[in-house]
Structure formats: structure tokens, C-alpha cells
Amino acid sequence: MYRWCTDEVEPHDRFDYWREVRAKGLFGVTAELERERRADFFGEFSLRQLGGGSLVELKASHYTVERSTTDIARAPGDSICVYQQLGSGGWFGGMRGSDFAIANGSFATSHTDLPYRTAPLGAGGFHLRILKIPLSGLSVQDKRMRELAPRTFDDPGLAPLLGACFADLGEAAAGDDGAADATSLGQASLVQASLVQASLVQALAHLALIERGILRPGSRLGQAALRTARLSQARRLIGRHLQDPNLAPAMVADLLGVSVRHLHMLFESAARSFSQTVTDERLKQSRHLMREAPDRLIADIATSCGFDSLATYYRVFNAAYGMAPGDFRARGQEGR
């Protein structure tokens, strides 16, 4: 992963550096800000290549962005972009069709090589994720994909699926808890992680094409994208309800809007069953709590993660990692 922040540049040079090196050189856009406001400019971003796409998370104070025909000619992209708005909202304009606003938590999509202008709506500036997927890496090849001017997603049923996939990709890009545990505790291999990331990237691209009417939901690729996204959402629903005594396939299927049979079919295509996933999520949460709250009683941690008894927790933890929870905690403290 590559990270960069304007703190690395002298204050009087920060916006000029951002405009010339980061905005124009890296993202292929033109950035503008009134000269009297440049001394207070702040910006940071992370960039990671994963699963055949590029995932950017960007935070910056208020400025305007334009992707002009000149920018496009100088730095063509020929990719689909899927945006997730994380800040106070944004405005898009300057392209075919009407201008539009994108609210916090909403999604939009476009082809990289169509002109637009954008600016944050709130004083807080930009905060968004952008997933860029080259058309050459997609199974779908349709000339309409190069005509996708920026537009928000209108299908509310896709929003939670997109959110789940983006959250999983965001964790992968941030080197989430699982990456460290994979090294120290022998979890999923790098090959498997790469396959999962590629599946999420393809799912997000294909969900965007479904929303724009280019890919049919019932097609082979459409169904695969929906399965991947629903499985991602199901895992996140499990993670949010670990303490719920009613956590069971029927509950998650109801929240997901599918049948219990369909839910089990989703997990049949994954590496772990529903029950194994529940156990893995509870163990993952317990490891996180042991690291973040070293003085908290292990019995309390086990209960808060949904284990019905301390004995069960010890048995499951030892079977998974070949050590007791207390030994895991001691190793973590040694490394501090």
C-alpha cells in the first residue's frame, strides 16, 4: 500500500504539490483552490493495487476537481470507477445530463474518460473511496461502458451489497486484523486472500454494470456478482450480531432478504460454512479485544463475543490456534 499526506510538504507548497504531483500526475485531474485558502490546505490518500483494480481512499480539505478533455487526452484511463461517498456529500457536474449531488454513504459510477467537475458540498471537504477497474480486466465487453457519465446508484437494494464489498476491500487495503493474524497464527494464505480480493473487485464492477443496465442480474456474471456481494454482506451481518442469542441462519437470511436455503448455498461456495464463519468471527473479535483491552478478563471477553461458556471458548480457541487465549495475550504483550 502507498500512503501520502501533505504533512510531508512545507505548508506554503502543499496545495501546489497536491495539484501538480498528486492530482495531475497520479489521478489525471486538475485541482483548483483560491490562492488565499491554500495555506490551510490538507490532503491525504492511500492507494493499493488489489484484485485487478486500484483502491483509493482520499481525505482533503475543500477544493474543486475537474477531469477535462485535456486531462483525459494526457492521461486516459479506460476504466470503470465506483465511488463510495464517506464525507458530508459531493457535487458532480459538467457532463452529459443534469448535475447531481451524492450524499454520505451513497455510491456512484462512471467511466474514467468522460469529463466532469466535482467539489465537496460541506465545509469538511472530500472523503471518499474510489475503486478503478480497467475494462481490459472485465469479462464483460460492451461499448456502452465507455459512455458511463458519472451517476449515482438509483437501486436502493444494491446499496448494502456495495457497502459490504467496499468494507471488505477497505479492510484488505488497510492491512486489517486478519492480515497480521495470518502471519502470526497461520490463517488464510496470500493466494486465497488474492482470490477473495479479485472476486470483490469483479463483484463491484459487475454490480455497477447491473445498475446501469449493461449486465442482466440473471446472467451468469450477474448472478456471480450478487452471490459474492450477498456472502460479503452475510458475513458482516454475522459480525454485527455476535452477541445476539438469536444469531442463526434464519435470522441472517431474514436480514439479507433471502431464504435459509439460499443462505446456506452462499456459504457452500465459500471456504467456511455458516457455523464456522460465526465461530471464526467470534474468535477474531476476541483476539481484537485481548489486544485492545489487555486487562479485561478473558471470561468477560468470551461472553461478549457470544461464546456460551468459558470452557467452550478455550476449547475452540486452542483447536484453532494451538494455544490458550492467555498464551496468545502474553505473546501480544511481549511484542509491545
Side-chain angles (χ1 to χ4, degrees):
M1 181 190 297
Y2 178 69
R3 295 181 183 272
W4 189 82
C5 177
T6 49
D7 288 348
E8 299 179 20
V9 182
E10 292 296 324
H12 61 278
D13 292 330
R14 284 175 181 172
F15 183 75
D16 288 340
Y17 189 91
W18 181 273
R19 179 182 60 188
E20 296 302 321
V21 179
R22 301 308 173 191
K24 185 176 293 184
L26 188 59
F27 300 120
V29 298
T30 299
E32 291 297 341
L33 180 64
E34 297 88 344
R35 187 165 296 278
E36 61 271 17
R37 300 175 61 185
R38 293 182 182 181
D40 298 324
F41 178 77
F42 170 82
E44 64 179 353
F45 70 89
S46 63
L47 168 66
R48 178 164 178 175
Q49 305 291 331
L50 73 170
S54 303
L55 181 65
V56 173
E57 181 163 349
L58 181 146
K59 295 181 183 179
S61 50
H62 193 286
Y63 69 106
T64 59
V65 175
E66 180 177 10
R67 175 93 162 132
S68 66
T69 54
T70 301
D71 293 322
I72 293 166
R74 177 175 49 81
D78 199 24
S79 300
I80 286 179
C81 284
V82 186
Y83 308 86
Q84 182 183 29
Q85 185 69 30
L86 299 174
S88 56
W91 167 86
F92 276 86
M95 60 278 176
R96 295 196 299 267
S98 59
D99 298 355
F100 67 88
I102 178 170
N104 179 33
S106 297
F107 301 88
T109 188
S110 71
H111 186 269
T112 54
D113 297 345
L114 293 174
Y116 67 87
R117 294 192 302 274
T118 185
L121 289 176
F126 285 107
H127 185 194
L128 69 159
R129 288 193 185 116
I130 308 167
L131 176 65
K132 184 165 73 173
I133 312 108
L135 295 191
S136 60
L138 295 176
S139 301
V140 182
Q141 295 297 319
D142 190 306
K143 65 180 182 180
R144 291 175 294 171
M145 294 192 292
R146 293 184 172 86
E147 301 171 357
L148 297 178
R151 197 182 80 184
T152 55
F153 279 75
D154 296 326
D155 186 345
L158 290 177
L161 300 178
L162 289 161
C165 290
F166 256 113
D168 283 352
L169 275 181
E171 289 183 359
D176 188 55
D177 172 79
D181 289 339
T183 300
S184 61
L185 296 172
Q187 293 300 291
S189 67
L190 293 176
V191 172
Q192 180 62 30
S194 178
L195 291 173
V196 170
Q197 292 167 9
S199 177
L200 289 167
V201 168
Q202 290 288 313
L204 281 162
H206 292 158
L207 289 173
L209 296 179
I210 288 172
E211 204 278 336
R212 299 298 288 263
I214 293 175
L215 186 64
R216 292 184 299 105
S219 66
R220 179 180 61 83
L221 293 174
Q223 288 181 336
L226 290 168
R227 283 196 303 269
T228 296
R230 285 171 179 154
L231 180 60
S232 184
Q233 188 187 5
R235 288 170 173 153
R236 296 208 157 259
L237 288 169
I238 288 170
R240 289 200 291 268
H241 293 85
L242 291 178
Q243 289 182 276
D244 194 325
N246 297 316
L247 178 58
M251 172 186 170
V252 175
D254 185 59
L255 292 171
L256 196 59
V258 301
S259 68
V260 173
R261 180 175 179 275
H262 185 81
L263 179 72
H264 282 301
M265 288 175 63
L266 293 177
F267 281 93
E268 283 176 5
S269 63
R272 292 174 176 82
S273 67
F274 179 90
S275 62
Q276 288 171 330
T277 300
V278 170
T279 299
D280 287 348
E281 287 297 318
R282 285 175 168 158
L283 289 171
K284 176 181 175 180
Q285 178 66 8
S286 76
R287 297 195 307 269
H288 172 76
L289 291 175
M290 278 192 282
R291 285 194 301 268
E292 298 300 314
D295 297 327
R296 189 172 178 181
L297 293 175
I298 290 178
D300 183 36
I301 290 175
T303 301
S304 69
C305 294
F307 289 96
D308 55 11
S309 72
L310 184 59
T312 298
Y313 176 57
Y314 267 78
R315 175 176 55 79
V316 172
F317 196 100
N318 190 69
Y321 309 124
M323 69 179 77
D327 295 332
F328 172 84
R329 169 177 275 177
R331 288 191 179 187
Q333 291 173 338
E334 290 172 1
R336 289 178 181 269

